């Protein structure tokens, strides 16, 4: 039976692997061995739905792990209420299925899996609220230390270079300690399945992107932070090399990330303002005295440190402000439609239709949905389409939690993001923000090395997605047809060579 070791690097980007490849010998070797490289993320490519799909092999409409407020909730029902982040269910992940099939497993630091639950081996998870560790079996709790990433506190809000320097080195130290514990446990037993997730790379890219991207409007010029991201990729490469050296020669090594990373857009498309002009979005009557000046339907953003920590799961998430107009400026009860930004500050979003209000006005839900879809695709700026695509939710995904998704899903052009202002032009430029300058993009990484007994089993037209990872891992472990996945295994056993 094949032994499988998986390293998950949150936010590792396929394009950056190509750029930095000559300085990354171990990852470069994997890239040359692997039949795959790019891994298409979920829609949206956000932490919770994307990693949820990678772990379970299910699409977001089937696993229901969403980072935005479910759209089947009553308007205003969650206003001002902090909620726990969604969590995985024991028994639904690839490591649970392997464990239930008798495989010995060691799983360290998966998202969404706190507290750890019993498995046939070891499972360790960190709390998204305070970083505390949970591990099963409990007897390991006193002997193992797996540090959570350091918290930004108030330092990143000022983003002084000295403070960023100290924070960078703390992240490096944390990563080295996490990798050391992973290596120790990897060598403790010949696990059938070993999985270690490192989440610090994503934080590095969020904070330091504009320092290394000369085309970013927020690029500050030459500085000591110019090579921070590249240096951290070299650290990841070092970890890959150490793990590979500790594995038996026949073991399969995977490197995965559920999404990539790119530059944060400064161009905003204010689609709620467009809906207001179409008569589909209503502003609260008590806010009409503000019409003489632009305003945002979102309250002032959380302090940047909290925003980033919530994104990487180090503190309890508040519901994303873009999913509810907490300031009360948008009248959700009387609006027919409103736009949500999905997946952070990026190009993915959704349109939520108010079915009750549509029915009260004697209008047809499906006709309005089709009309909006067509009108949004016609939106232009200087002759250029603003949206890449707009689709009905059932055209994107199918599943038991489909009603939690917006009625329409869409993606703007890659250099655009969803704006939240009203009474402004459709397209606006936002002042450069220097604190969080990197955002998720949809192309993650899927590398598989040392395939001695397996070969690719996928057509050229098949888009390799995060949902394919779980069934592929189980196929390598010799576990087939245990559950129904939305993804498919990408490998098959090589045909036996005929005897001479």
């Amino acid at each position: 039976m094949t032994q499988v070791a998986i390293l998950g690097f949150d936010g590792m980007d396929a394009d950056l692997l190509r750029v930095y490849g000559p300085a990354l010998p171990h990852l470069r070797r994997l890239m040359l061995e692997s039949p795959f490289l790019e891994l298409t993320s979920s829609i949206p490519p956000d932490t919770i739905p994307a990693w949820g799909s990678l772990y379970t092999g299910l699409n977001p409409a089937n696993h229901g792990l969403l980072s935005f407020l479910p759209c089947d909730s009553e308007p205003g029902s969650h206003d001002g209420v902090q909620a726990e982040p969604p969590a995985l269910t024991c028994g639904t992940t690839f490591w649970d299925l392997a464990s239930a099939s008798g495989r010995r497993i060691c799983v360290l630091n998966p998202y969404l899996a706190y507290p750890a639950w019993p498995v046939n081996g070891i499972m360790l998870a960190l709390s998204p609220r305070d970083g505390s560790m949970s591990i099963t079996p409990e007897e390991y709790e006193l002997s193992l230390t797996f540090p959570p990433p350091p918290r930004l506190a108030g330092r990143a809000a000022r983003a002084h270079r000295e403070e960023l320097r100290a924070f960078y080195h703390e992240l490096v130290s944390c990563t080295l300690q996490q990798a050391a514990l992973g290596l120790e446990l990897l060598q403790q037993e010949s696990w059938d399945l070993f999985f270690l997730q490192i989440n610090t790379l994503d934080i590095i890219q969020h904070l330091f992107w504009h320092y290394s991207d000369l085309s970013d409007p927020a690029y500050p010029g030459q500085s000591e932070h110019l090579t921070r991201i590249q240096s951290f990729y070299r650290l990841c490469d070092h970890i890959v090399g150490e793990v590979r050296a500790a594995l038996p020669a026949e073991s399969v090594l995977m490197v995965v990330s559920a999404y990539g990373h790119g530059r944060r857009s400064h161009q905003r498309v204010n689609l709620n303002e467009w809906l207001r002009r179409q008569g589909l979005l209503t502003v609260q009557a008590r806010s009409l005295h503000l019409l003489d000046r632009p305003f945002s339907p979102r309250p002032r953003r959380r302090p940047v440190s909290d925003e980033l920590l919530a994104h990487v799961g180090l503190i309890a998430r508040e519901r994303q402000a873009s999913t509810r107009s907490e300031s009360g400026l948008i009248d959700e009860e009387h609006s027919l439609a409103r736009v949500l930004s999905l997946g952070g500050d990026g190009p993915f979003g959704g349109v939520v239709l108010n079915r009750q209000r549509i029915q009260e006005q004697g209008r047809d839900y499906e006709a309005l949905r089709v009309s909006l879809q067509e009108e949004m695709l016609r939106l232009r700026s200087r002759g250029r389409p603003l949206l890449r695509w707009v689709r009905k939710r059932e055209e994107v995904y199918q599943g038991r939690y489909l009603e939690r998704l917006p009625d329409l899903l869409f993606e703007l052009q890659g250099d655009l993001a969803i704006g939240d202002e009203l009474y402004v032009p459709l397209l606006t430029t936002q002042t450069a923000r220097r604190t969080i300058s990197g955002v998720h993009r949809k192309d993650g990484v899927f590398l598989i090395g040392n395939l001695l007994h397996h070969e690719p089993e996928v057509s050229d037209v098949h888009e390799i997605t995060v949902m394919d990872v779980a069934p592929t891992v189980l196929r390598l472990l010799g576990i087939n047809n245990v559950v129904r996945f939305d993804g498919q295994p990408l490998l098959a056993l090589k045909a036996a060579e005929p005897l001479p």
Side-chain angles (χ1 to χ4, degrees):
M1 182 178 60
T2 302
Q3 180 188 23
V4 179
I6 308 172
L7 293 174
F9 292 104
D10 191 27
M12 181 169 280
D13 185 78
D15 282 346
L16 288 187
L17 284 185
R18 295 185 181 100
V19 172
Y20 298 149
L24 309 173
H26 305 294
L27 283 164
R28 182 67 177 168
R29 177 184 171 187
L30 266 182
M31 291 170 70
L32 294 173
E33 293 178 8
S34 177
F36 318 112
L37 172 58
E38 292 182 345
L39 185 70
T40 301
S41 187
S42 62
I43 298 174
D46 198 27
T47 305
I48 292 174
W51 282 105
S53 288
L54 190 146
Y55 299 148
T56 64
L58 303 176
N59 73 62
N62 259 329
H63 62 58
L65 298 167
L66 305 173
S67 50
F68 47 90
L69 191 64
C71 294
D72 56 0
S73 302
E74 290 297 319
S77 62
H78 293 272
D79 287 356
V81 177
Q82 271 198 352
E84 292 293 337
L88 288 164
T89 302
C90 174
T92 61
T93 67
F94 65 78
W95 64 83
D96 287 315
L97 297 171
S99 176
S101 297
R103 307 304 192 266
R104 289 288 290 168
I105 70 169
C106 178
V107 177
L108 308 175
N109 197 33
Y111 272 127
L112 318 173
Y114 183 89
W117 51 76
V119 294
N120 184 26
I122 297 174
M123 180 175 173
L124 181 152
L126 297 178
S127 167
R129 178 176 292 277
D130 58 14
S132 58
M133 184 180 74
S134 170
I135 187 168
T136 60
E138 293 181 356
E139 56 261 29
Y140 282 95
E141 196 158 358
L142 297 178
S143 59
L144 298 181
T145 300
F146 193 89
R151 294 196 171 188
L152 292 172
R155 295 178 295 177
R158 296 187 297 277
H160 292 164
R161 291 184 181 180
E162 297 78 10
E163 294 163 336
L164 283 176
R165 182 194 306 129
F167 187 68
Y168 174 83
H169 290 299
E170 290 173 21
L171 287 168
V172 169
S173 176
C174 171
T175 303
L176 288 171
Q177 291 178 66
Q178 290 183 349
L181 176 61
L183 196 63
E184 176 186 334
L185 291 175
L186 174 63
Q187 296 170 313
Q188 180 175 301
E189 181 178 328
S190 181
W191 307 102
D192 298 311
L193 173 63
F194 175 85
F195 176 72
L196 168 64
Q197 184 159 330
I198 302 290
N199 297 324
T200 43
L201 174 61
D202 194 52
I203 304 175
I204 292 290
Q205 293 177 128
H206 276 300
L207 284 175
F208 291 96
W209 190 273
H210 66 290
Y211 287 102
S212 60
D213 186 349
L214 278 64
S215 63
D216 193 316
Y219 175 66
Q222 188 80 17
S223 76
E224 64 178 299
H225 300 313
L226 177 66
T227 60
R228 294 298 193 204
I229 293 177
Q230 183 179 8
S231 296
F232 213 86
Y233 270 78
R234 287 201 298 267
L235 173 59
C236 296
D237 183 73
H238 172 73
I239 294 170
V240 171
E242 285 199 322
V243 168
R244 187 158 201 169
L247 290 171
E250 312 80 36
S251 299
V252 171
L253 176 61
M254 288 187 185
V255 169
V256 298
S257 67
Y259 36 73
H261 226 90
R263 183 178 67 212
R264 183 179 184 179
S265 173
H266 298 281
Q267 293 288 314
R268 296 290 187 269
V269 183
N270 298 295
L271 288 171
N272 274 325
E273 167 59 13
W274 177 75
L275 288 175
R276 187 194 66 80
R277 296 178 190 177
Q278 307 304 308
L280 299 174
L281 183 142
T282 303
V283 177
Q284 289 277 11
R286 63 183 177 83
S287 302
L288 293 178
H289 68 282
L290 298 174
L291 298 187
D292 59 341
R293 58 186 176 124
F295 61 92
S296 164
R298 279 200 260 182
R300 185 181 296 264
R301 287 182 180 267
R302 297 187 298 270
V304 174
S305 57
D306 284 352
E307 176 183 338
L308 180 56
L309 288 171
H311 165 67
V312 298
L314 297 179
I315 62 174
R317 283 174 176 259
E318 295 179 355
R319 294 298 188 185
Q320 288 189 1
S322 60
T323 66
R324 291 292 170 190
S325 53
E326 293 179 349
S327 61
L329 298 181
I330 293 179
D331 187 342
E332 296 178 14
E333 183 179 352
H334 294 96
S335 293
L336 297 182
R338 57 192 172 91
V339 167
L340 309 181
S341 175
L342 307 180
D345 196 16
F348 291 91
V351 181
V352 177
L353 298 180
N354 185 341
R355 291 201 186 207
Q356 180 178 342
R357 187 64 175 168
I358 291 170
Q359 184 178 12
E360 290 172 353
Q361 291 194 2
R363 303 183 65 169
D364 181 75
Y365 163 80
E366 189 58 31
L368 178 59
R369 187 163 66 147
V370 170
S371 174
L372 272 173
Q373 183 179 21
E374 294 172 349
E375 291 295 324
M376 291 175 72
L377 286 171
R378 283 196 283 266
L379 290 174
R380 298 284 193 277
S381 175
R382 298 181 180 178
R384 176 202 183 204
L386 294 179
L387 288 90
R388 294 187 61 192
W389 54 264
V390 185
R391 297 175 192 148
K392 301 173 184 178
R393 59 188 173 192
E394 64 270 22
E395 295 172 345
V396 178
Y397 291 129
Q398 290 287 334
R400 58 186 296 196
Y401 300 110
L402 182 65
E403 293 294 318
R404 295 186 176 185
L405 299 173
D407 301 83
L408 292 172
L409 295 169
F410 64 85
E411 181 184 2
L412 299 172
Q413 300 294 343
D415 59 339
L416 301 175
I418 298 168
D420 55 20
E421 290 187 309
L422 300 174
Y423 300 97
V424 295
L426 176 61
L427 193 65
T428 56
T429 300
Q430 200 167 54
T431 304
R433 297 177 182 177
R434 294 175 177 265
T435 304
I436 296 181
S437 54
V439 295
H440 295 168
R441 69 184 197 98
K442 62 182 180 181
D443 294 321
V445 168
F446 189 31
L447 299 175
I448 310 179
N450 205 34
L451 287 174
L452 301 178
H453 308 295
H454 293 79
E455 59 187 359
E457 184 188 46
V458 59
S459 69
D460 292 337
V461 297
H462 177 74
E463 183 179 50
I464 298 170
T465 76
V466 285
M467 295 172 284
D468 296 327
V469 174
T472 300
V473 171
L474 295 175
R475 172 68 60 84
L476 285 168
L477 293 171
I479 303 169
N480 298 303
N481 304 318
V482 287
V483 295
R484 182 175 178 178
F485 295 109
D486 293 313
Q488 67 179 57
L490 303 175
L491 301 170
L493 282 170
K494 291 181 179 179
E497 296 184 2
L499 295 173

